[in-house]
Amino acid sequence: EIVLTQSPDTLSLSPGQRATLSCTASQSVSSSYLAWYQQKPGQAPRVLVYGASTRATGISDRFSGSGSGTDYTLTISRLEPEDFAVYYCQLFRDSHYSFGQGTNLEI
Amino acid sequence: QVQLQESGPGLVKPSGTLSLTCAVSGDSISNGNWWSWIRQPPGEGLEWIGEISRSGENKYNPSLKSRVTISADKSKNQLSLTLTSVAAADTAVYYCVRNGMVGFYMDVWGKGTTVTVSS
C-alpha cells in the first residue's frame, strides 16, 4: 500500500508570506491521481487542486500545485487570513483513495 | 447547486450497526459520477470508506471491506452506508461525497454527521 506523508505537520507563517506544503508518496504515482484539499474547523474539506496541478472551480490563483513521481507540492503565493487551515493531499491508486495525515497551516 | 445531506443516529452501541443515509439534491446519482463516504475521527485525518457507481459497482477501503456496505436508491436519489460490528474507533464525522466527473478527487461534500459509538 502506498503511504502519503505530508510535511511539515505544522507550518507557522504570517499573512502575505508564501507557503509551501509537501506530500511525498512511498512509491512513484501518477500525477493524474493526486489532489489537495483545504479544511477549516467545523467544516467539510474542499478541493483545491486535482491532477496535481489543475485548480478546481472557483479556487484562487494564489493556490498552485506541482510535482511528479513521489514528490508533490501545494504552494500558496500570498497568504490571506482565510488560508489558515489544515491541508490534505489525496491519492487514487489500486481502486481506492488514501489521504496524507495533513498539514496545519497556522498564523 | 448540488447539495448532500447526511442523516442517521448520532449514537450507536458497541457491536451494533451504524446506518446512515445521504439525500442528494441538484444532481442525480444515476449520472456518471461515483459517490463516496469518507470519515474523520475527532481531531484526526480523513479516511475513505468506499464508493458506488451509477451502475451499483462498489469499491471499499480494504481495512473496512468486511464490515461495510454502500448502496443507492435511485428512486429516492439517496445513498446509504452500513457499517457493522462497530467499536469506539468508528466514532467520527461521516461525510457523503461526490467524486469529480473528470479526474480522481471529491468535488462536492456534505456537511457531515457525527456518529459516536458508546454504550
Side-chain angles (χ1 to χ4, degrees):
Chain A
E1 180 182 344
I2 298 178
V3 176
L4 296 178
T5 302
Q6 293 185 239
S7 60
D9 288 333
T10 300
L11 182 59
S12 299
L13 293 171
S14 300
Q17 289 189 297
R18 179 186 186 95
T20 303
L21 288 67
S22 295
C23 177
T24 301
S26 55
Q27 57 184 277
S28 183
V29 299
S30 170
S31 61
S32 298
Y33 302 142
L34 198 288
W36 289 92
Y37 298 82
Q38 177 194 66
Q39 186 178 33
K40 297 179 181 179
Q43 297 184 16
R46 68 163 178 165
V47 64
L48 301 173
V49 170
Y50 61 91
S53 61
T54 302
R55 267 189 303 276
T57 302
I59 300 302
S60 168
D61 60 6
R62 295 184 298 102
F63 292 88
S64 63
S66 64
S68 63
T70 60
D71 297 311
Y72 295 87
T73 300
L74 177 70
T75 301
I76 312 171
S77 59
R78 299 172 308 280
L79 286 167
E80 298 284 347
E82 62 267 24
D83 298 334
F84 292 91
V86 179
Y87 292 82
Y88 294 95
C89 59
Q90 169 245 296
L91 174 70
F92 179 80
R93 173 76 178 246
D94 297 329
S95 297
H96 71 272
Y97 292 86
S98 58
F99 291 88
Q101 84 280 10
T103 290
N104 181 26
L105 177 57
E106 64 176 26
I107 297 178
Chain B
Q1 181 184 2
V2 181
Q3 292 186 316
L4 310 178
Q5 179 66 58
E6 305 91 344
S7 61
L11 181 64
V12 181
K13 294 186 184 304
S15 77
T17 296
L18 179 159
S19 296
L20 299 175
T21 59
C22 171
V24 179
S25 59
D27 192 7
S28 170
I29 63 173
S30 299
N31 287 344
N33 300 77
W34 285 71
W35 303 82
S36 289
W37 286 93
I38 290 172
R39 70 180 183 179
Q40 184 171 36
E44 298 185 22
L46 302 166
E47 181 180 34
W48 178 75
I49 299 170
E51 63 183 357
I52 188 167
S53 74
R54 63 178 175 177
S55 65
E57 179 184 356
N58 290 112
K59 296 177 183 176
Y60 297 125
N61 187 322
S63 68
L64 298 169
K65 187 174 183 178
S66 64
R67 299 193 291 130
V68 174
T69 302
I70 294 175
S71 60
D73 186 331
K74 293 182 179 180
S75 66
K76 296 181 179 179
N77 208 39
Q78 69 180 29
L79 307 162
S80 295
L81 169 69
T82 301
L83 183 65
T84 61
S85 304
V86 298
D90 295 309
T91 293
V93 176
Y94 285 76
Y95 294 101
C96 175
V97 181
R98 189 183 77 172
N99 296 16
M101 180 68 81
V102 179
F104 299 87
Y105 63 97
M106 287 76 179
D107 69 347
V108 180
W109 295 64
K111 292 184 178 181
T113 188
T114 299
V115 178
T116 302
V117 178
S118 175
S119 55

